[in-house]
Structures are given as C-alpha cells and as structure tokens.
Amino acid sequence: MSDSTNKSAADDETSTGWALVTGASAGIGTAFCRALAARGYDLVLVARREDRLKTLADELNAQCGTRCHVLAADLADPAAPATIVAQLMDAGIEVECLVNNAGYGVPGRLVEVDWKTHADFLQVMVTAVCELCRALMPGMIDRGRGQIINVASVAGHMPGSEGHTLYAASKAFLIKLSESLSLEGRRHGIRVSALCPGFTYSEFHDVTGTRDRVSTMPGFMWLQADEVAEYGLDAVLGRKHRTVAIPGRVYRFLVWLNGAWPWLGRQLNQRSTHRFRKFNED
C-alpha cells in the first residue's frame, strides 16, 4: 500500500516538511502536489490509483528532489483514514500541510441513486475529511504550526439545485467546517482555508458524464488546475490568511451577487440545471 522515493540527507535539511494530498492522482490534486513540491515540501500522495501516484512520485523526485510516500487508499472505505494515519506513524511522518482534495459528483436526483452510492460519497466528501483533520491537527498543535486546505466549491455558496443533490451540501459543510477549524487552530499557529473553485479543467466532468454539456460554457468561466492550487496555497501560506478562498474574479462576483440577491441565484440555478446536469431520462 505504500512506496517511498528517497533523497539525500542534505536535501532533507532543506525540506519545508511533509504535506499530505488526497485525490493526488489527477486534476487539482496533482496540481497541488507539483506546487507543494516546488515550495520544498515532501509529499504523501493518497488516491486509489497507485500506478498514477508512482508516476507522479517519480516526476516530482526527478524535478524537485521530493521525497514521496505513496499510499493507495479508497477513502470510501470507513477504515481508510485510520489506516493512513497508522502508516504515517509507522513511517515517522509528521504532516505539516493537509490538503483534503479527494472528491467527485454523483449524477441524478437523490431518489434515483442507491443509498450505498450516496453513503460512499458522504464518506469521501465529509467523514474522511473530518477524520483526517481530527487525527492530524493534534500534531500541528504540538508543533505550533500547520496548514489545512479543504477543497470545497463555489457550489457551497450558491442555492441548492436539482440533481447532484449532495454535492453542494457537502461543499457547504466543508466551508463551515473550515471556518470553525480556522478559529480553533489560529492560536496554535494553524491556518485553515476552504478553497472554493468554480468550473476547473480536470477529469471531474468526464467521470460524471457531463463533459459535452459543460464544454459549451464560455472560456472565461473555466479555471486551470494549477492556478486553483496556487491560489489555495497562497491562502494558507501567504502573508494574508484567507479562511474562505475563491479563485477567479468571475466566481467572487457570483458569490457576492448571490449574497446580495439570493433570489437571483435561485433563478439562475433553476434555469441552468438541465443544461449542465445529467439525469436518468437524458
């Protein structure tokens, strides 16, 4: 379940510390790994696809001299977070920066999908995030420093919509969780941020089967994964900590607009649901 890429003792002295990234095998997760490696972090790479993680580990080691500890794990398994933490302890790894990035969407309405699929989704998107934060924060408190980024979404700020029923709800949860953890951690030197991107080029829409639909959106609505990752890291590592970080001016404007006129956000959501969502009758 694990594999390590070594570097010299001299390089160890210059390491910023260890960062753990879930969902590291693609999209925003991979972008986070590259950005963290460029900043001098060693990495714990967590995802289901071990082959991709090993390829990424080799890339980061070759380009940045990064030590990478690969943990192939499915966060839908309730035992996965505890197993990850136990393996970190066995390896003597103390995590300085936690990036809870793993996530996906479940197409369809709530009653159209079996409960096991929903339960797995909530395990990945909510429960595993809470458990990893709960397990790794005590070490950060003891060391007097640390960073946590919970990858949420602009959807967590907007009104709920038909279909993908639990997605926006789970992202709203992560935003509120991050706000609370930020308050709880700040006196211990811990910065916590909810990163809330909008539409981002990744595999997300291929997995949900909506690539053709969302590809009709104008280019200015799309974000690049590397830009999102850099924005998220700046939120917790930069001079000014941002507890809620929304990359992209267009999305910051939309969140502001929804706060000022929520009725307008509800109308826009209702009109766009069938344009960008996939349902069983489609």
Side-chain angles (χ1 to χ4, degrees):
M1 190 174 180
S2 65
D3 178 67
S4 297
T5 302
N6 296 318
K7 66 179 183 179
S8 69
D11 289 333
D12 291 348
E13 295 176 359
T14 62
S15 172
T16 305
W18 286 92
L20 186 153
V21 181
T22 67
S25 62
I28 295 173
T30 296
F32 263 115
C33 292
R34 289 172 176 149
L36 284 161
R39 285 167 168 77
Y41 282 88
D42 294 317
L43 288 164
V44 180
L45 310 177
V46 179
R48 292 176 300 166
R49 295 174 288 191
E50 187 172 18
D51 56 338
R52 286 199 179 191
L53 295 180
K54 288 183 176 180
T55 298
L56 178 61
D58 291 341
E59 172 198 321
L60 298 177
N61 180 254
Q63 294 182 356
C64 304
T66 305
R67 285 186 300 174
C68 292
H69 195 75
V70 170
L71 295 178
D74 184 356
L75 292 176
D77 178 1
T83 300
I84 291 169
V85 173
Q87 293 198 349
L88 294 176
M89 293 180 63
D90 290 343
I93 293 174
E94 297 180 340
V95 174
E96 299 279 343
C97 180
L98 169 63
V99 181
N100 284 307
N101 166 76
Y104 59 101
V106 176
R109 302 177 181 90
L110 183 71
V111 299
E112 295 173 345
V113 180
D114 64 276
W115 179 247
K116 177 63 166 59
T117 298
H118 288 313
D120 288 348
F121 174 87
L122 291 172
Q123 175 65 36
V124 173
M125 304 289 280
V126 175
T127 305
V129 173
C130 293
E131 190 169 354
L132 287 173
C133 288
R134 174 62 183 82
L136 298 179
M137 275 191 75
M140 297 179 186
I141 291 172
D142 290 343
R143 292 187 295 275
R145 63 184 184 277
Q147 305 88 37
I148 298 174
I149 299 173
N150 294 320
V151 179
S153 171
V154 165
H157 294 278
M158 307 302 285
S161 61
E162 183 181 3
H164 288 244
T165 317
L166 300 180
Y167 185 80
S170 70
K171 295 303 188 181
F173 177 92
L174 291 186
I175 294 168
K176 296 305 181 185
L177 171 68
S178 300
E179 289 174 336
S180 293
L181 292 181
S182 180
L183 294 172
E184 294 173 9
R186 63 182 181 180
R187 64 181 177 274
H188 301 290
I190 301 171
R191 289 183 169 188
V192 183
S193 293
L195 177 62
C196 305
F199 287 97
T200 304
Y201 288 113
S202 69
E203 295 180 354
F204 180 91
H205 300 288
D206 299 306
V207 174
T208 60
T210 56
R211 172 61 60 192
D212 290 343
R213 296 167 185 257
V214 298
S215 293
T216 63
M217 293 182 59
F220 68 84
M221 295 291 292
W222 286 95
L223 302 171
Q224 299 291 337
D226 57 346
E227 296 172 345
V228 171
E230 291 287 350
Y231 195 88
L233 288 178
D234 183 62
V236 295
L237 297 174
R239 181 175 300 177
K240 184 178 181 180
H241 172 221
R242 295 189 297 277
T243 302
V244 178
I246 305 171
R249 291 182 180 178
V250 63
Y251 289 110
R252 290 193 289 275
F253 172 74
L254 288 175
V255 170
W256 172 85
L257 187 65
N258 180 69
W261 294 289
W263 60 269
L264 180 59
R266 287 192 292 271
Q267 285 192 350
L268 291 174
N269 264 9
Q270 290 171 6
R271 292 178 181 178
S272 63
T273 291
H274 280 266
R275 182 180 177 187
F276 301 120
R277 297 282 172 86
K278 185 176 181 180
F279 297 95
N280 288 344
E281 67 265 24
D282 292 345

